[in-house]
C-alpha cells in the first residue's frame, strides 16, 4: 500500500503506547501506522524562522515547523479564526475580513506546500484536514506535485448566501476544486457545497458525486466522523474516581447531573445553554437541590477578541446563576475552565444522567457520540442535542432541541430528568446503532478507500449531467 501523508494545522506527535489523546488524533494515527507515512504541519510554536524538523516513531515521521509571528497573526489568528471560522459557523456578525490576513493565509499554505514537497514520494497519498488548509492542494499543483490529494472539512459548510460574504470567496473555493476528493461531515454540508458550485460557479455535478468546476474534475462526498465506542465503553466503565461528585447512578438513585464538555467557543452555544438551565431552575423548582450542571470548557484561541468576550460573558452568567440559586450545601452550576483527561471525561459522562450538547452550529460534535457510547446500557442517561450539530442527523434517539429556544430547552431538560428507564434504554439502543456502524475506523477507511480508488480525473464525460 502506498504511504499516507497527513497534513493538518496542528501536529502533536503520538508515541507508541500513548494514544489516550482521544478521537481524531488516534484515528489518523492508526491510519498512518497501517500504511506508514508522514504527519506534517505546524508544531504550535511561534518562531523567528520556520525550520522543518522531524522525529520518527516506528513507521511514522512527524515533520513539523513553527510559524513566524506575522504568519501566526495573519494565517491562524486572522483569516482562519477571525474570518473563516465565524462564517463557516453562520456568524457573519462576528467575522472580519482583512486583505493582508488573507494574503498571509495564502502565503502560509504556499510555504507549507514547498516544505512538504521534498519529503514526498510519487505514489504517496495526501490527506489534508480542515479550513486552515483549503488552498493547500492548489499550491501543491502549482509546484508540480501530482499525487492524489484529499481534503476533509471538520466544520460545517454554510449556505452560499453566507459563504459569499467572504470577499475572495471565488478565488478561495476555486482552490478547493484542486483536490481529488473533498469530504464533508453531513449531507447538508455537501449539498451546500454543491449549491455553491452550481449557482456561483456554474459547475457541473454528476449523479455519482463527481463535480467539474474551474476545469477540474473531483468528487465531493459525505464521511460522518465517528468515535471508538468499545474503547469509550471500557474507559468509562473502568473509571473509579470522583464517584462522589456525580455518582448517583452507582448507588441506584436517579442521577441528577447534567454534563456539558466543549472547547470555550461561541459556536458551542454556552450562553444559550446557561440561560436554559436557569429557566429550568426557575420554572421547575422541584429540580432545585436535586440537579447539578457541570460545564467543562477550557479556553481556546484566547488571543482572539471574540473568545475573550464570550469568556467574560459566561463568567458573569455563571456567577449570576450560582448567586441566585446556590444554597450553603448545594451548588447548581459547576463551571470549570480546565481541560480534563479523557478517562475522567468518559467517567463523568457515564455518571451523568443528561448529556447536554447544544451548539449553535457544529460540523459533527464528537462529545454527543462520546456521551452516548460511555453510558451504562442497563441504566443509560439521556442525550439532549441541538438540531444544529452534525450529530443530530444520525442520533435520532436524542431529545432534539433548538438552542435559540430557551423555554423549549428547559422543557427538554425537565423531560429528560423524568424519563423512565425503558424509554432511556430504547433511545440509547437506537443511538448506538449509527455510533457502531459509522465509527472512527469506518470514517477513516471510507475516505482513504475513495481517495486511493479510481481517479475522478478519468470520470467519463457522459456521466456528468448539467445542473442549472
Ligand atoms: P471541536 O470543535 O474541537 O472539533 P468536538 O467534536 O466536540 O469539537 O470535540 C473534539 C474532541 O475534543 C472530542 O473527542 C472531545 O472529547 C474533546 N474535547 C472537547 N472538549 C473538551 C474538553 N473540555 N476537555 C477535554 N477534551 C475535550 C471539530 C469540529 C467538530 C467535529 C470535530 C471532529 O468543530 O464539529 O466534530 O472537529 O471532526
Amino acid at each position: 500500500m502506498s504511504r499516507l501523508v497527513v497534513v493538518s494545522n496542528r501536529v502533536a506527535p503520538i508515541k507508541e503506547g500513548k494514544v489516550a489523546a482521544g478521537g481524531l488524533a488516534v484515528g489518523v494515527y492508526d491510519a498512518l501506522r497501517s500504511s506508514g507515512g508522514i504527519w506534517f504541519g505546524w508544531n504550535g510554536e511561534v518562531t523567528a524562522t520556520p525550520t522543518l524538523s522531524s522525529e520518527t516513531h516506528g513507521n511514522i515521521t512527524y515533520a513539523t515547523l513553527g510559524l513566524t509571528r506575522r504568519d501566526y497573526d495573519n494565517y491562524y489568528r486572522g483569516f482562519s479564526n477571525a474570518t473563516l471560522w465565524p462564517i463557516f459557523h453562520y456568524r457573519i456578525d462576528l467575522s472580519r475580513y482583512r486583505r493582508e490576513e488573507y494574503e498571509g493565509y495564502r502565503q502560509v499554505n504556499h510555504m507549507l506546500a514547498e516544505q512538504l514537497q521534498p519529503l514526498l514520494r510519487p505514489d504517496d497519498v495526501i490527506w489534508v484536514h480542515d479550513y486552515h488548509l483549503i488552498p493547500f492542494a492548489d499550491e501543491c499543483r502549482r509546484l508540480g506535485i501530482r499525487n492524489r490529494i484529499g481534503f476533509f472539512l471538520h466544520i460545517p459548510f454554510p449556505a452560499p448566501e453566507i459563504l459569499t460574504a467572504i470577499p475572495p470567496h471565488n478565488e478561495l473555493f476555486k482552490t478547493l476544486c484542486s483536490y481529488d476528493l473533498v469530504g464533508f461531515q453531513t449531507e447538508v454540508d455537501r449539498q451546500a457545497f454543491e449549491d455553491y458550485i452550481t449557482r456561483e460557479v456554474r459547475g457541473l455535478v454528476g449523479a455519482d458525486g463527481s463535480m467539474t468546476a474551474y476545469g477540474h474534475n473531483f468528487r465531493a462526498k459525505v464521511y460522518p466522523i465517528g468515535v471508538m465506542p468499545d474503547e469509550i465503553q471500557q474507559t468509562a466503565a473502568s473509571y473509579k474516581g470522583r464517584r462522589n461528585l456525580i455518582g448517583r447512578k452507582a448507588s441506584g438513585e436517579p442521577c441528577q447531573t447534567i454534563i456539558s464538555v466543549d472547547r470555550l467557543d461561541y459556536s458551542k452555544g454556552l450562553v444559550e445553554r446557561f440561560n436554559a438551565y436557569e429557566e429550568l431552575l426557575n420554572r421547575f423548582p422541584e429540580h432545585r437541590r436535586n440537579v447539578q450542571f457541570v460545564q467543562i470548557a477550557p479556553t481556546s484561541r484566547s488571543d482572539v477578541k471574540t473568545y475573550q468576550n464570550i469568556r467574560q460573558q459566561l463568567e458573569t452568567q455563571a456567577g449570576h446563576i450560582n448567586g441566585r440559586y446556590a444554597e450553603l450545601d448545594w451548588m447548581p452550576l459547576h463551571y470549570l475552565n480546565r481541560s480534563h483527561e479523557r478517562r475522567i471525561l468518559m467517567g463523568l459522562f457515564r455518571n451523568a444522567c443528561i448529556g447536554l450538547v447544544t451548539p449553535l452550529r457544529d460540523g459533527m460534535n464528537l462529545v454527543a457520540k462520546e456521551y452516548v457510547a460511555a453510558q451504562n446500557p442497563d441504566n443509560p442517561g439521556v442525550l439532549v442535542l441541538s438540531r444544529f450539530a452534525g450529530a443530530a442527523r444520525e442520533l435520532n434517539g436524542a431529545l432534539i432541541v433548538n438552542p435559540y429556544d430557551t423555554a423549549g430547552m428547559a422543557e427538554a431538560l425537565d423531560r429528560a430528568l423524568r424519563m423512565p428507564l425503558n424509554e432511556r434504554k430504547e433511545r440509547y439502543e437506537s443511538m448506538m446503532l449509527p455510533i457502531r456502524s459509522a465509527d472512527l475506523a469506518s470514517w477513516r477507511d471510507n475516505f482513504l478507500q475513495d481517495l486511493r480508488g479510481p481517479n475522478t480525473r478519468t470520470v467519463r464525460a457522459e456521466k456528468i449531467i448539467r445542473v442549472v
Side-chain angles (χ1 to χ4, degrees):
M1 197 197 297
S2 53
R3 280 195 325 176
L4 176 64
V5 175
V6 172
V7 183
S8 61
N9 172 56
R10 279 295 300 274
V11 178
I14 297 177
K15 294 182 182 112
E16 196 69 50
K18 292 211 167 196
V19 290
L24 179 58
V26 178
V28 170
Y29 171 79
D30 280 352
L32 278 166
R33 208 172 42 169
S34 75
S35 54
I38 302 173
W39 197 339
F40 174 81
W42 178 37
N43 62 14
E45 284 166 24
V46 173
T47 46
T49 13
T51 321
L52 191 69
S53 72
S54 65
E55 55 180 289
T56 300
H57 301 280
N59 59 354
I60 306 175
T61 298
Y62 298 90
T64 59
L65 69 176
L67 291 176
T68 63
R69 167 60 53 189
R70 210 166 132 227
D71 286 345
Y72 172 82
D73 284 343
N74 289 333
Y75 153 83
Y76 180 74
R77 207 162 71 102
F79 192 70
S80 293
N81 286 323
T83 306
L84 292 182
W85 177 272
I87 288 193
F88 277 53
H89 289 85
Y90 287 73
R91 294 300 301 268
I92 300 180
D93 59 318
L94 296 181
S95 80
R96 66 140 197 260
Y97 173 70
R98 291 185 186 152
R99 189 176 287 178
E100 67 277 15
E101 290 179 346
Y102 173 62
E103 281 160 9
Y105 172 86
R106 294 296 308 261
Q107 269 161 22
V108 169
N109 271 269
H110 174 75
M111 180 272 288
L112 291 173
E114 270 187 336
Q115 294 276 356
L116 180 64
Q117 188 171 29
L119 309 180
L120 290 174
R121 295 178 191 163
D123 64 342
D124 283 346
V125 165
I126 306 172
W127 189 6
V128 180
H129 291 262
D130 236 359
Y131 59 101
H132 317 84
L133 298 166
I134 291 171
F136 189 79
D138 194 64
E139 296 297 345
C140 289
R141 301 295 180 224
R142 285 167 198 265
L143 293 169
I145 296 169
R146 292 282 154 258
N147 302 56
R148 289 287 171 86
I149 315 182
F151 177 83
F152 184 76
L153 183 69
H154 289 263
I155 64 176
F157 193 89
E161 288 73 13
I162 305 283
L163 206 64
T164 47
I166 303 169
H169 65 90
N170 239 304
E171 189 182 291
L172 183 65
F173 294 107
K174 183 177 177 186
T175 67
L176 191 55
C177 302
S178 292
Y179 285 95
D180 295 292
L181 175 65
V182 181
F184 297 98
Q185 298 273 24
T186 69
E187 177 53 25
V188 176
D189 303 308
R190 195 209 60 81
Q191 184 62 53
F193 178 64
E194 180 177 318
D195 291 348
Y196 181 85
I197 289 296
T198 54
R199 284 191 221 153
E200 287 291 324
V201 180
R202 297 262 158 225
L204 307 173
V205 177
D208 59 353
S210 56
M211 295 188 177
T212 306
Y214 299 107
H216 296 289
N217 289 334
F218 58 99
R219 279 168 297 167
K221 288 181 70 176
V222 175
Y223 304 91
I225 194 166
V227 296
M228 297 184 291
D230 294 336
E231 177 263 341
I232 291 173
Q233 179 64 222
Q234 227 172 25
T235 311
S238 61
Y239 179 70
K240 296 279 182 275
R242 306 276 173 100
R243 288 250 186 261
N244 54 351
L245 174 63
I246 57 168
R248 286 167 223 186
K249 270 194 225 165
S251 67
E253 292 299 309
C255 175
Q256 298 290 347
T257 293
I258 301 170
I259 188 139
S260 295
V261 172
D262 311 78
R263 271 185 312 100
L264 208 167
D265 192 297
Y266 50 82
S267 68
K268 302 291 183 184
L270 272 72
V271 170
E272 292 74 8
R273 192 181 299 164
F274 280 19
N275 285 339
Y277 180 61
E278 184 174 7
E279 176 97 356
L280 174 83
L281 298 178
N282 188 28
R283 267 184 56 202
F284 303 95
E286 62 274 28
H287 295 305
R288 290 183 204 163
R289 299 187 62 83
N290 291 320
V291 71
Q292 61 178 347
F293 174 26
V294 179
Q295 170 70 65
I296 297 179
T299 49
S300 68
R301 303 170 195 168
S302 49
D303 53 353
V304 178
K305 184 86 179 105
T306 43
Y307 287 77
Q308 294 159 4
N309 294 345
I310 183 93
R311 186 174 178 186
Q312 218 166 23
Q313 196 176 350
L314 287 167
E315 279 164 9
T316 307
Q317 230 179 334
H320 165 76
I321 293 174
N322 279 334
R324 183 167 170 197
Y325 292 100
E327 294 177 26
L328 285 175
D329 58 350
W330 174 61
M331 183 73 89
L333 171 60
H334 298 254
Y335 174 48
L336 289 80
N337 275 150
R338 250 171 301 125
S339 185
H340 286 68
E341 270 179 61
R342 188 168 170 75
R343 67 188 179 87
I344 296 177
L345 290 184
M346 300 307 132
L348 292 176
F349 286 163
R350 191 179 181 88
N351 286 285
C353 67
I354 298 179
L356 185 56
V357 182
T358 55
L360 304 179
R361 283 287 157 183
D362 220 328
M364 177 54 66
N365 198 300
L366 290 178
V367 172
K369 293 184 173 181
E370 288 166 349
Y371 172 78
V372 176
Q375 293 308 297
N376 174 358
D378 297 326
N379 186 16
V382 181
L383 177 65
V384 176
L385 179 61
S386 162
R387 56 171 296 153
F388 301 118
R393 306 271 143 194
E394 295 169 82
L395 304 181
N396 300 326
L399 289 184
I400 302 292
V401 294
N402 181 336
Y404 297 102
D405 178 6
T406 309
M409 274 213 280
E411 283 156 15
L413 286 173
D414 172 59
R415 182 174 167 201
L417 286 164
R418 298 169 193 277
M419 192 177 284
L421 180 61
N422 58 349
E423 186 180 348
R424 281 190 276 130
K425 277 183 165 173
E426 264 171 41
R427 287 174 176 275
Y428 164 77
E429 277 153 24
S430 89
M431 288 190 279
M432 283 308 289
L433 296 175
I435 286 176
R436 284 194 193 291
S437 64
D439 65 0
L440 187 67
S442 40
W443 168 74
R444 174 194 77 204
D445 294 346
N446 291 341
F447 188 94
L448 288 175
Q449 200 177 2
D450 285 350
L451 184 58
R452 290 195 154 106
N455 197 338
T456 39
R457 290 163 207 243
T458 63
V459 169
R460 293 194 314 273
E462 65 265 27
K463 287 182 86 180
I464 309 268
I465 52 161
R466 174 150 215 115
V467 181
V468 279

